[in-house]
Amino acid sequence: QRLAEARRAVGHRKLELNKTAGTARLLVPGMRLDLGGVAMGYAVDEALCVLRAMGISRALVDASGDVCVTDPPPDQPGWTVGVVPLAAEGSPSREIRLANAAVTTSGDAFQYVEIAGRRYSHIVDPRTGLGLSTRSGVTVIAPDCATADSLATAVSVLGPAAGLRLIEQSQGAA
């Protein structure tokens, strides 16, 4: 019953944005706004804006695995960024080189709970109101960190087939 009540307070259609006034209004009593799927990426992008405004053209900003980079280090083709494996232990499972781009990995390697022998991710499927129970790790490269962050979370929920379709429709994402 509590899960059903909580699900009734979920959804972007229950959020009213007023661009003119710069306000947001939650339309369902008890509704809360959680920016966890995009806030970290946005913060990384904003940090790079501050650095650029200070004249810094070569930088890497990492906020808990949400990484955005500017021009590469001197004499390098790009920044080397490790991608974590599905398990929390061990070295990165692969490395990628980036310049003027972002990469984010979403998954349950570090943030999950086990209840009655079943593992639930911190990533909640809005269709069910429950944490994802299928192990996954999704890494997305995009032009900015807010885009990479939001796409990685969305693909985690959508699954591989629908997720890849979303990535293919998102300009500059891989």
Side-chain angles (χ1 to χ4, degrees):
Q1 181 182 359
R2 287 181 19 209
L3 180 58
E5 288 173 17
R7 287 183 62 216
R8 284 191 284 275
V10 171
H12 70 279
R13 288 182 177 84
K14 298 170 185 171
L15 172 66
E16 182 180 275
L17 299 176
N18 184 325
K19 288 184 181 182
T20 306
T23 61
R25 187 166 68 106
L26 306 177
L27 302 176
V28 177
M31 185 177 177
R32 295 181 182 165
L33 187 59
D34 180 350
L35 300 175
V38 296
M40 194 73 76
Y42 176 79
V44 168
D45 290 339
E46 289 300 304
L48 278 180
C49 285
V50 170
L51 293 173
R52 284 185 180 116
M54 297 174 69
I56 298 171
S57 63
R58 299 174 194 269
L60 179 150
V61 176
D62 178 358
S64 191
D66 293 352
V67 177
C68 197
V69 300
T70 59
D71 293 341
D75 303 321
Q76 297 293 317
W79 296 88
T80 302
V81 179
V83 178
V84 298
L86 191 55
E89 313 82 38
S91 301
S93 56
R94 69 177 27 163
E95 291 182 339
I96 56 175
R97 248 186 232 276
L98 291 177
N100 297 301
V103 61
T104 298
T105 298
S106 290
D108 65 349
F110 298 99
Q111 297 183 54
Y112 65 92
V113 65
E114 287 191 25
I115 301 171
R118 188 160 185 190
R119 182 183 176 116
Y120 295 93
S121 171
H122 72 292
I123 301 171
V124 175
D125 185 336
R127 298 167 293 198
T128 65
L130 298 173
L132 301 176
S133 58
T134 301
R135 298 286 319 267
S136 71
V138 176
T139 300
V140 174
I141 299 169
D144 60 85
C145 210
T147 300
D149 195 8
S150 60
L151 286 173
T153 303
V155 171
S156 294
V157 173
L158 291 171
L164 282 174
R165 284 194 298 274
L166 176 63
I167 295 298
E168 290 166 357
Q169 297 168 3
S170 303
Q171 188 169 354

